[in-house]
Amino acid sequence: MMLIIVILISTIPLTTKAKQPVPNTNMFVLSNEGLPFIQDKPLHNGTVLQSFAFDDENKHIYVVQLMAGGQQLPDENEPVSGAIRAKNGDVTLTKLDQEGNKLGHMYLKGFGHGVQIGVEVENGVTYLWTETDAVTEGNDGWGTQIARFPFENGTIRTPDSPVLEKHKLIEGAERTTVNIDKAHGLLTMRYRLDGSFRYGVFDLEQVKKGNYHPIADVPQPPVGTFQGFASYGTYLYLLEGNAYGVNGSVAPYGNTYVTAVDLNSGKAVARQLISAGNAMTFREPEGMAIRIPDPKQPHKAQLHIGFASNAAPNRLANIYYFDQLMPINSNHHRCSLLKENH
């Protein structure tokens, strides 16, 4: 049997408590085997998926990836290399149905790296929440604020597009990425400030009104190669890991972990090795999202994790999920546990 490790952590330094209570929820059980949602699905480009989000009302999935090299868009004079695309922060957005079949796409030029995105439906219109206004650092472009805009198939958007509704939630923040907790009406932004990564949690409706007062703001605990995040009520979930052969990731165990952070205390309370999709020959964790199968029952949520598979230049998208929550009387806040099963 696959090696399963769960560590429940009692304390992590440098925590910041919530400014007001975050909605109370239980933590997802991450020690279970992740269940497949979609497997080996092609996106609009053949690059690795970076992140994804669900439109639960219309039963769609939105996936972002770095724009493939060699493409020439209508507003360009010549094909652009993948390296230039990455530095500029050019990403491709693909719309899928819940079986993973492609329904449409958009090009987002100068937006960022696509580390995490969110989806919101308002008055029947699907809006994407992403980073935007990318600046180059190293070999990649990274967002410096967040934006909200409607999905419009086949269109090209830039940070100057008038349809973008931009929000600068924290002055001086960089590396901005975003998640929407639809069940509790919250927006969580990961950002870097003064060299450290943090997570600010905001009331979604207040953000749209231009009122930027965080409910909680907590530091990122130590993690490996960061690959995405999602929040649901009390807990923030952080994804880390590498493809096999990178940074000590060895098949079939790999080094994909999920860390759970209590947003009320700012403490990391669990870290779990994830075995889902371990039969892939190429398996790189990419992105997290919360799915609510029935929007009328927001308490019945699922935590989803993305993986890229297949060889370049034809990477494929995979999503696995966890749908069980810990019992109400769980003592995971007050104990440390290491469990190994073979």
Side-chain angles (χ1 to χ4, degrees), residues 8-10 26-27 235 269 326-327 330-335:
L8 298 178
I9 307 167
S10 58
N26 294 329
M27 191 174 73
Y235 295 97
V269 294
M326 283 190 169
S330 171
N331 292 322
H332 62 272
H333 286 285
R334 300 185 294 275
C335 69

Side-chain angles (χ1 to χ4, degrees), residues 37 54-57 59 98 290-304 321 323:
F37 189 70
F54 292 98
D55 173 352
D56 295 316
E57 292 188 26
K59 310 302 181 186
Q98 288 197 141
I290 297 293
R291 175 175 174 259
I292 302 173
D294 181 358
K296 295 180 181 179
Q297 301 186 70
H299 61 287
K300 293 185 177 181
Q302 300 171 348
L303 177 65
H304 290 243
Y321 70 96
D323 61 358

